[in-house]
Amino acid sequence: MKIMVCGDIHGNFGVLNKLLNKKKPDILLACGDFGYWPKFFNKTYVDDVGQTRQWKDEIKNTKTKIYWCDGNHEDFDSLEKRTTDELWPNVFYMPRGKTMKLPDGRNVLFMGGAYSVDKAYRIAGHDWFPQEMITQKDIYNLPDEKVDIVISHTAPKCFDFNYHIIGDKITDSSRDALQFVFDKYKPSQWFFGHFHMFQRGTYRDCHWTLLAHSETDQQWYIEI
């Protein structure tokens, strides 16, 4: 049984397909900014930095079960209108606070959400949504069960990683919420993305991994 975790994909499903074909994981856990933008799928559009792109809805997956939490760059209005968590065959959206049991018995908690530092360049209700932030309601709805692994988009405040190039991402109140998650569950492993770089560390017996963006030259996936 091969289980992998990946960082931000941002709708780059071609790179995702290459990973699935090359590594052939049985399960892939994705740390947010997966790229769920159904209104953009198979359409040409101009992104927030002025580049023309075509967002292709072409996840070519038959065997890998993919579970992903939201990041800050998702179409939250469409996510709220979904009628199922299986948004593509074998591709499952995991809302904040949802857990799953891995075949080896480890329990995984998903806790997406983060602040968008680029929201000034986006349009509310079109490519930016206030639902991106972790809320008090999300915290109230956390389950009371043992958690071994957390999959999130951003990180709790206690993780000491090199963020000096990140700017005001460090002021994200979602990190305060994730600090509560850390203190509640004291997981042994934590994986997150959002910062588009690769780093690893340990805090109070929790081994954390920051995974890079799929389009960088740094490590953006790992087997666990």
Side-chain angles (χ1 to χ4, degrees):
M1 175 66 65
K2 181 183 286 189
I3 302 170
M4 302 188 74
V5 183
C6 72
D8 300 15
I9 296 171
H10 287 284
N12 190 353
F13 298 139
V15 172
L16 174 62
N17 292 333
K18 290 179 182 178
L19 174 64
L20 299 178
N21 290 334
K22 180 180 179 181
K23 298 296 183 179
K24 296 180 171 56
D26 297 287
I27 294 174
L28 178 68
L29 313 176
C31 298
D33 278 5
F34 190 74
Y36 185 69
W37 295 94
K39 62 191 171 191
F40 294 149
F41 287 157
N42 303 313
K43 295 180 181 179
T44 300
Y45 70 100
V46 178
D47 66 16
D48 59 309
V49 295
Q51 294 183 328
T52 300
R53 298 182 59 183
Q54 186 177 43
W55 210 306
K56 296 183 179 180
D57 178 16
E58 55 176 15
I59 299 178
K60 298 176 181 177
N61 174 56
T62 57
K63 296 182 178 179
T64 301
K65 289 189 178 297
I66 301 172
Y67 301 89
W68 59 277
C69 68
D70 53 271
N72 53 298
H73 292 151
E74 317 284 0
D75 184 346
F76 285 95
D77 283 355
S78 293
L79 281 175
E80 290 178 351
K81 294 174 184 176
R82 73 189 187 282
T83 57
T84 177
D85 289 339
E86 189 174 8
L87 299 178
W88 294 271
N90 278 336
V91 181
F92 301 88
Y93 168 58
M94 303 296 282
R96 296 168 195 173
K98 189 169 184 178
T99 60
M100 65 168 290
K101 190 84 70 175
L102 295 176
D104 60 13
R106 288 178 292 176
N107 199 31
V108 182
L109 172 77
F110 291 81
M111 199 68 182
Y115 173 73
S116 292
V117 297
D118 62 351
K119 70 178 184 179
Y121 306 101
R122 293 174 176 263
I123 300 171
H126 177 67
D127 57 0
W128 176 82
F129 302 88
Q131 301 99 304
E132 67 179 20
M133 300 293 288
I134 299 175
T135 66
Q136 191 66 52
K137 182 179 179 180
D138 296 327
I139 296 299
Y140 284 149
N141 289 334
L142 286 171
D144 289 324
E145 55 189 87
K146 183 180 184 297
V147 169
D148 303 292
I149 300 171
V150 174
I151 301 292
S152 66
H153 188 52
T154 187
K157 293 182 70 175
C158 60
F159 292 172
D160 184 19
F161 55 96
N162 181 10
Y163 53 73
H164 69 280
I165 64 172
I166 304 302
D168 61 352
K169 281 186 182 179
I170 62 173
T171 65
D172 185 354
S173 65
S174 292
R175 296 192 64 189
D176 296 289
L178 290 176
Q179 185 63 49
F180 180 90
V181 173
F182 180 90
D183 293 335
K184 177 179 175 68
Y185 296 110
K186 300 177 178 60
S188 57
Q189 290 181 288
W190 193 304
F191 298 90
F192 60 104
H194 189 46
F195 298 99
H196 298 182
M197 62 178 71
F198 177 78
Q199 291 185 44
R200 305 186 80 175
T202 301
Y203 179 79
R204 293 187 181 176
D205 298 322
C206 177
H207 303 288
W208 58 261
T209 302
L210 164 57
L211 291 160
H213 184 331
S214 64
E215 295 185 59
T216 69
D217 58 1
Q218 298 187 49
Q219 187 170 341
W220 65 279
Y221 59 84
I222 193 169
E223 186 173 350
I224 64 172

